[in-house]
Amino acid sequence: MREIAVFGGSSHPALTAEICAHLAVPQRPVLLKRFANDCLEVQLQSNCRERDVFIIQSLVRPVQEHLVELLLMADAARGASAARVNAVIPHYAYARSDKKDAPRISIGGRLVADLLVTAGVDRVLTLNLHSPQVHGFFSVPVDHLHALRELAGHFRQRDLSNAVVVSPDLGYAKSAAAFARRLGLPVAAGAKERVSDSEVHITAIIGDVAGHDVIILDDEISRGTTVFELLDRLREQGARSIAVACTHGLFADNALDKLAASDVTEIVCTNTAPLEAEHPKLTVLSVAPALAEAIRRIHDGESVSSLFDH
Ligand code: R5P
């Protein structure tokens, strides 16, 4: 069996360390330098030859820096004769650029997928892509995990006798329905239209939320624009209480503080992105055990599908 070699980029050292601890393997050292002309240089400081190399890098801000770092690490591993280069990308930021919905824009999700493959990535392990079609942007195998098991485990500790799961949009309704099935709950969804990065309209909610304890489920919270708009509709429709859950807690523009200051009962996310702030209303669930198990199975040639079955 080929030896496993795990390297981490600079985006999320805590998650890399946790994954290595679960795998019981050492984290291999990486030297990152910046030249006077602002270019980066990455040196993998451990033997890659004929190794099964895993590079862990979440595409979180500064996204472009972390992306180039990941590309350089993949290229370095390939150039050092790795047997296989696996990119572990807990949050794939460019997934939101998944369609040409305005003239003369790039489908960034597809471009970044091509860049990763060009850099030498043979396989991708990721979590909760913004939309399912992004999976198909990659010309190499992708293991696409979700965090529904972790999120459902958290909410099972709550009184769910009057609860309903609400997706902010129809695009995420299928995942919300899968989450609701795990909890034995009904599901509802918002009719959402995004006007810009900072403006969305939710004109209606399909399903019954009046008098219910709502669990909002989304793939990510960025500025919180979506969730704040949904909170308005839910209050208008008489929801009894509202909790918020997502996989990627990005919380740009102070979104965590703003959300915590609202009447939501709790905010639950995973650690696919590093969090700078804490709050008593916030619970962060770890995806390190799931990612470590997926890495082990990929390395051992075992099925990964049971980890992402809905
Ligand atoms: C969008 O379609 C996604 O599913 C999320 O709702 C969105 O990315 C969240 O972004 P924000 O918090 O900025 O509205």
Side-chain angles (χ1 to χ4, degrees), residues 96 130 169 192 194 218-226:
R96 274 176 75 175
H130 171 66
D169 53 43
K192 172 177 132 182
R194 182 172 283 281
D218 209 350
D219 58 332
E220 69 173 47
I221 296 175
S222 182
R223 287 184 168 183
T225 316
T226 301

Side-chain angles (χ1 to χ4, degrees), residues 25-255:
V25 299
Q27 182 181 336
R28 313 283 170 136
V30 180
L31 182 67
L32 178 66
K33 281 196 294 195
R34 186 180 296 272
F35 293 108
N37 66 359
D38 205 34
C39 289
L40 296 175
E41 185 183 77
V42 167
Q43 184 183 35
L44 305 177
Q45 297 191 301
S46 184
N47 191 3
C48 293
R49 191 174 293 273
E50 296 306 321
R51 306 289 194 277
D52 198 11
V53 170
F54 288 82
I55 302 170
I56 302 169
Q57 179 80 310
S58 211
L59 294 183
V60 293
R61 66 178 59 230
V63 174
Q64 282 58 242
E65 295 276 323
H66 291 143
L67 173 60
V68 172
E69 213 183 277
L70 174 58
L71 295 170
L72 293 174
M73 290 172 80
D75 186 50
R78 176 181 54 183
S81 304
R84 181 170 61 175
V85 181
N86 305 272
V88 180
I89 310 175
H91 176 58
Y92 184 69
Y94 273 95
R96 274 176 75 175
S97 299
D98 62 354
K99 55 189 154 316
K100 194 167 177 194
D101 55 1
R104 298 171 296 286
I105 61 165
S106 163
I107 301 176
R110 169 70 198 256
L111 174 64
V112 171
D114 285 346
L115 289 172
L116 288 165
V117 175
T118 299
V121 169
D122 297 304
R123 173 178 282 272
V124 171
L125 170 61
T126 190
L127 252 142
N128 208 348
L129 293 167
H130 171 66
S131 56
Q133 67 264 29
V134 176
H135 188 143
F137 290 174
F138 289 88
S139 55
V140 292
V142 176
D143 289 305
H144 181 194
L145 307 186
H146 57 66
L148 299 184
R149 191 173 55 173
E150 288 76 4
L151 292 166
H154 172 86
F155 281 98
R156 267 191 211 105
Q157 302 162 30
R158 302 285 181 259
D159 174 9
L160 299 176
S161 53
N162 186 41
V164 59
V165 175
V166 179
S167 166
D169 53 43
L170 299 174
Y172 204 58
K174 198 171 166 192
S175 294
F179 178 67
R181 261 197 312 278
R182 282 174 180 260
L183 295 173
L185 296 177
V187 65
K192 172 177 132 182
E193 184 199 359
R194 182 172 283 281
V195 181
S196 69
D197 193 35
S198 57
E199 187 181 355
V200 302
H201 296 155
I202 296 179
T203 47
I205 293 176
I206 303 155
D208 187 16
V209 296
H212 287 287
D213 300 313
V214 168
I215 304 171
I216 296 177
L217 182 75
D218 209 350
D219 58 332
E220 69 173 47
I221 296 175
S222 182
R223 287 184 168 183
T225 316
T226 301
V227 80
F228 286 118
E229 173 79 357
L230 183 57
L231 286 175
D232 287 345
R233 293 297 85 70
L234 289 168
R235 289 187 201 111
E236 285 164 13
Q237 298 207 8
R240 189 170 76 169
S241 72
I242 307 169
V244 179
C246 69
T247 302
H248 309 294
L250 306 175
F251 301 121
D253 278 355
N254 236 3

